[in-house]
Amino acid sequence: MSFKKIMAGIGVCSLGFASSAVFSADFNMRLSHGDNESNPTHHAALKFQELVEEYSDGRIEVEIYPSNQLGDEQEVAQSMRRGTIESAIVYTGNLVPLAPSAGVLMLPYAFTSSEEAWPAMDALQEPLNERISKEAGVRAVGLLEKGFRVLTTAEEPVRTLDDLEGQNIRVSPNNIAIETFKAWGIDPTPMAWAEVFSALQQGVIDGQENPYTTAISSNFYEVQDYITEIHYMMWTGPLLVSEQFYQRLPDDLQDAVDRAGVETANYERELSAKLTEEAKNELVDLGMELLGPPEDEAQWQEKAKAIWPEFYEDIGGEEWALEAQRIMDEAINNQ
Ligand code: MLT
């Protein structure tokens, strides 16, 4: 059995070496995420740790496990349902197979900017929680955002839809991403996040799509040459708490976790916006060519938006999909 599986299978209380404070806190929260320590996700994890420990007066201790140490994002989401991992930050696309209703955050071209996405996500958080707690036994205490997912490729630049032909692009394993790329004329390769860098390095795939900050933190500039700003989807990711764990907390500690979650999301969104701008310059210095949006962006949008109704069954049904869009549109219009 791998080290990470062993880590996922045992409680941290038996990991005496992990932290001496484990034994003084009333509750221990392991927080898993799939990025490394230079990614905004990890900065968010650190902020959440600081705020939970402060607002709970040390009665909750948070231990962070970056880089998929406790399992890949989908495995971790499953463990949270069972209550064997207490919290995680997971890309929405990796949660959707377990919690379809979260897919409303992923409809292609649903958001045109972070300024739109933030109030929309805030308005959606409570109604979304009612659904994902039933679907997957998790609740989002904050909704994070890292800017648009951009397409990176090696060797062949993608300036138009036609340029996609022949490219083997990895997407996160969810139907929305898969069907969107199919609408653009190619069959993408769904793959777990933990495998992406080596697949790029070995040439198993030609490209992938993730935010600018991830292209830096995951060293994609070593194995990728071009970036196209396809603007189709933002990286949104819930800061999740296992419902089983949450329900074990007394009211005052639930409040502490909720407050820390919202403040962490606000902190992470601002930080990501700043780091995204820095990442663009850094990627150019590191040799990547930034191509900007596709020359025929309107066609990309038209093809992807045309298939929205096909996604409704995958994201909790038409009624929910339309209700979620109404809630988000109202929040955007009222800001
Ligand atoms: C993915 O592409 O699977 C995710 O965006 C990776 C992540 O969580 O950063």
Side-chain angles (χ1 to χ4, degrees), residues 41-330:
T41 299
H42 190 68
H43 295 295
L46 289 170
K47 177 55 85 179
F48 186 65
Q49 177 185 50
E50 174 198 318
L51 294 177
V52 168
E53 293 183 356
E54 180 187 335
Y55 296 156
S56 71
D57 286 326
R59 287 158 63 204
I60 305 178
E61 194 203 34
V62 180
E63 289 182 350
I64 303 170
Y65 292 83
S67 302
N68 294 307
Q69 286 174 48
L70 299 186
D72 75 30
E73 295 187 5
Q74 291 193 355
E75 289 168 344
V76 165
Q78 273 161 353
S79 300
M80 292 178 73
R81 182 209 290 271
R82 294 191 294 270
T84 54
I85 293 180
E86 294 77 22
S87 66
I89 299 171
V90 172
Y91 166 51
T92 304
N94 292 329
L95 178 67
V96 164
L98 282 178
S101 297
V104 292
L105 291 167
M106 297 181 62
L107 288 168
Y109 301 101
F111 303 123
T112 60
S113 65
S114 294
E115 287 68 34
E116 273 190 10
W118 297 355
M121 292 194 299
D122 290 342
L124 198 67
Q125 188 170 322
E126 275 318 304
L128 182 63
N129 274 342
E130 275 184 35
R131 299 184 66 97
I132 65 172
S133 61
K134 292 191 191 107
E135 289 170 346
V138 292
R139 64 170 51 229
V141 293
L143 290 170
L144 278 47
E145 185 266 334
K146 290 197 273 196
F148 283 107
R149 299 174 75 84
V150 292
L151 178 68
T152 67
T153 54
E155 290 171 30
E156 301 294 336
V158 174
R159 295 194 168 88
T160 64
L161 265 184
D162 286 346
D163 293 338
L164 266 187
E165 203 185 320
Q167 299 266 359
N168 186 0
I169 305 295
R170 175 270 174 180
V171 292
S172 131
N174 68 79
N175 270 349
I176 299 180
I178 295 169
E179 293 303 323
T180 302
F181 275 81
K182 283 190 179 163
W184 291 333
I186 62 164
D187 238 340
T189 301
M191 184 183 283
W193 172 231
E195 295 163 24
V196 175
F197 183 83
S198 57
L200 289 170
Q201 195 172 37
Q202 289 160 19
V204 175
I205 48 173
D206 303 313
Q208 63 81 47
E209 38 78 69
N210 254 294
Y212 276 111
T213 46
T214 301
I216 291 282
S217 64
S218 294
N219 296 357
F220 287 161
Y221 52 85
E222 289 175 8
V223 287
Q224 298 279 270
D225 301 313
Y226 301 101
I227 296 193
T228 314
E229 275 191 15
I230 54 177
H231 287 147
Y232 87 118
M233 201 182 279
M234 314 215 67
W235 186 102
T236 61
L239 169 41
L240 294 172
V241 176
S242 155
E243 193 64 47
Q244 282 198 32
F245 173 75
Y246 187 83
Q247 295 307 338
R248 285 210 308 274
L249 297 175
D251 287 353
D252 63 327
L253 292 187
Q254 287 185 350
D255 290 347
V257 168
D258 289 342
R259 187 174 158 207
V262 169
E263 289 180 24
T264 297
N266 290 337
Y267 164 84
E268 182 276 345
R269 294 172 191 174
E270 299 276 355
L271 179 72
S272 284
K274 180 173 160 286
L275 294 180
T276 296
E277 289 314 307
E278 289 174 16
K280 288 183 193 173
N281 295 330
E282 213 175 313
L283 288 164
V284 172
D285 290 345
L286 289 162
M288 290 196 81
E289 193 175 333
L290 272 48
L291 304 170
E295 290 161 15
D296 51 355
E297 192 172 18
Q299 273 194 57
W300 295 61
Q301 283 197 31
E302 200 182 307
K303 285 181 189 289
K305 282 187 154 179
I307 56 169
W308 272 26
E310 289 174 28
F311 295 136
Y312 291 161
E313 277 320 300
D314 286 333
I315 62 173
E318 180 169 355
E319 196 182 328
W320 162 244
L322 297 179
E323 170 66 0
Q325 280 167 50
R326 189 196 60 71
I327 293 170
M328 291 193 284
D329 286 347
E330 194 176 284

Side-chain angles (χ1 to χ4, degrees), residues 4-18:
K4 74 182 182 189
K5 291 243 167 71
I6 294 168
M7 295 289 280
I10 52 179
V12 128
C13 283
S14 52
L15 294 174
F17 61 86

